[in-house]
Amino acid sequence: MLFVGDHIYGDMLRSRKSSNWRTAMVLQEIEHEITMYDRLRPELSRLDRLDAELIHLDSELYERQAKMRSLQKLAEPNDGVTAAKRSVKDSIEKLRNELRQTSAQHRKAEAETDDAFNPYWGPLFREGYEVSKFGEQVEAYACVYTSRVSNFRFYSPNRHFRGPRDRMPHER
């Protein structure tokens, strides 16, 4: 049996707790979300690239700082050590500048993307890098969700819907 509802607590939660029925949640807002994800695909790809660049810059900066710490531990400073320290210090400063610029670009792009979804709260199912509280509730209580009940008309009443396999970060 499939129970269809449009309220997370009044329908989904109560049905899941009181019966063995599968649940389908109607979320009219999902049409707008999908439209926006499709329209913003280039911007979202840019955000992904900026994320990767931030991770890379953080890693490079950490590596240079570790190198600077090891150079500072040397007891006898000489011209070679001093020159190496200066070089590493310059590269650290350059990386910090790149990190600041990339972070600023990322914040701006993320704000613009969020505003495109909704100027007050951004995407309905995301909060920054994570699934929003609402998204968590939909995942927890709705077996499937759709924008309208009529979307089921193309499927057999005996159809069993399966979600994608959950993957942990190391499996991605």
Side-chain angles (χ1 to χ4, degrees):
M1 298 294 232
L2 181 68
F3 178 82
V4 179
D6 65 354
H7 192 271
I8 207 77
Y9 294 110
D11 296 331
M12 299 297 105
L13 178 64
R14 289 169 99 188
S15 176
R16 289 292 290 255
K17 287 188 172 190
S18 66
S19 71
N20 272 344
W21 286 28
R22 307 278 293 167
T23 55
M25 186 166 182
V26 177
L27 299 165
Q28 294 174 348
E29 299 85 359
I30 196 75
E31 287 184 5
H32 173 71
E33 294 277 312
I34 291 170
T35 300
M36 293 310 297
Y37 275 109
D38 288 343
R39 192 184 76 137
L40 295 171
R41 192 174 311 276
E43 289 84 353
L44 293 169
S45 292
R46 180 171 181 258
L47 268 174
D48 288 342
R49 287 190 303 276
L50 287 169
D51 282 338
E53 181 67 16
L54 287 171
I55 290 168
H56 173 74
L57 289 170
D58 277 333
S59 176
E60 288 286 321
L61 183 59
Y62 178 79
E63 183 183 312
R64 296 302 190 301
Q65 288 170 335
K67 187 173 185 177
M68 178 61 90
R69 284 190 294 276
S70 66
L71 286 171
Q72 288 173 337
K73 288 180 183 178
L74 294 176
E76 297 179 28
N78 59 41
D79 291 339
V81 171
T82 304
K85 281 183 182 179
R86 193 174 315 114
S87 174
V88 171
K89 185 178 178 182
D90 290 345
S91 69
I92 287 173
E93 193 56 40
K94 182 181 175 210
L95 283 168
R96 284 184 178 154
N97 286 333
E98 284 182 58
L99 191 60
R100 276 191 290 275
Q101 290 172 357
T102 306
S103 291
Q105 290 174 17
H106 186 274
R107 279 191 304 277
K108 183 177 184 238
E110 191 168 41
E112 289 170 354
T113 302
D114 284 353
D115 285 349
F117 280 94
N118 185 295
Y120 300 106
W121 56 77
L124 192 59
F125 294 93
R126 296 207 77 54
E127 176 56 40
Y129 292 101
E130 299 177 10
V131 175
S132 69
K133 188 67 173 171
F134 179 70
E136 287 176 0
Q137 292 170 341
V138 171
E139 279 185 320
Y141 302 120
C143 298
V144 295
Y145 57 92
T146 184
S147 62
R148 55 187 80 206
V149 175
S150 61
N151 290 337
F152 290 114
R153 73 184 177 272
F154 299 112
Y155 298 99
S156 161
N158 297 325
R159 170 74 185 257
H160 181 81
F161 294 96
R162 297 186 200 291
R165 181 175 171 215
D166 283 340
R167 296 192 186 279
M168 294 185 69
H170 73 277
E171 295 175 314
R172 294 182 188 136

